[in-house]
């Protein structure tokens, strides 16, 4: 199964990119399709793949006079979608990872395994090589805090694990994957590409001036915001949590 990458002659094989996107359109999130996952595993969404083939969403963006459209790189539809957006004068902004990990990598430890960051870099290079002539805006990872802590500590998102150690390891490897993927995109597209990461940040304010409340707010800010902001912008983790999380892993 393969799709032609727009007007180029490059055929991108679904097998070659290892189907980074794992999806089921059936509710609930757990499914039992042996062709996609082992029984009871978590999928990464509960809605069907949007019908980009007919161009409805691309036309809607145009009607709204949007000059850019963000898309997650679902291999099933993305090649057509990029062309549809460009045909309507809409700049495609591509997201490489939006919580969609191959089951085979999850079986090998998922994001808690450092090797996954390097496989993500391989994937980024393949996709950028295929779409780099038409996509200039790239997001590496969407909301790594959610993937790491909601998926691996709270167990509410895929892969449905409740293990703080795996969550902390995953957070580090997602950030490593961001850096490796950004480098891979630049190598394929060139330094003119705009590359970033999407972080779900939130303001944190102490309930009062009581030292206990202030300390609690600082800790939450470090966990929710600075655990990802500091490595990206400063190259280090916040000291408030680093020693504690280091002991966990």
């Amino acid at each position: 199964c393969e799709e032609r990458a727009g007007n180029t002659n490059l055929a991108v094989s679904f097998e070659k990119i290892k189907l980074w996107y794992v999806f089921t359109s059936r509710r609930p999130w757990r499914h039992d399709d042996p062709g996609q996952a082992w029984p009871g595993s978590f999928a990464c969404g509960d809605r069907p793949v949007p019908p980009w083939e007919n161009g409805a969403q691309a036309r809607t963006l145009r009607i709204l006079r949007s000059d850019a459209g963000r898309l997650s790189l679902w291999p099933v539809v993305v090649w057509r979608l990029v062309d549809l957006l460009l045909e309507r004068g809409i700049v495609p902004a591509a997201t490489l990872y939006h919580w969609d990990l191959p089951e085979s990598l999850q079986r090998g430890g998922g994001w808690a395994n450092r090797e996954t960051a390097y496989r993500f870099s391989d994937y980024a290079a393949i996709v950028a090589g295929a779409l780099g002539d038409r996509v200039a805006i790239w997001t590496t990872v969407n909301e790594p805090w959610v993937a790491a802590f909601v998926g691996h500590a709270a167990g509410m998102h895929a892969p449905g694990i409740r293990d703080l150690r795996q969550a902390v390891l995953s957070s580090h490897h997602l950030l490593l994957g961001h850096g490796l993927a950004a480098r891979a995109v630049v190598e394929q597209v060139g330094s003119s590409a705009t590359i970033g990461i999407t972080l779900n940040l939130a303001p944190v304010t102490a309930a009062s001036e009581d030292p206990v409340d202030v300390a609690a707010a600082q800790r939450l800010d470090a966990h929710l915001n600075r655990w990802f902001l500091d490595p990206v912008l400063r190259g280090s983790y916040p000291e408030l949590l680093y020693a504690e999380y280091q002991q966990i892993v």
Side-chain angles (χ1 to χ4, degrees), residues 188-210:
Q188 293 292 326
V189 180
S191 59
S192 62
T194 299
I195 307 171
I197 184 171
T198 296
L199 302 179
N200 54 303
L201 307 175
V204 179
T205 304
S208 72
E209 295 182 0
D210 187 298

Side-chain angles (χ1 to χ4, degrees), residues 126-149:
I126 292 170
V127 175
L131 298 177
D133 60 331
R134 285 159 292 156
V135 175
I137 302 174
W138 299 83
T139 295
T140 55
V141 178
N142 178 79
E143 299 178 359
W145 183 89
V146 174
F149 291 101

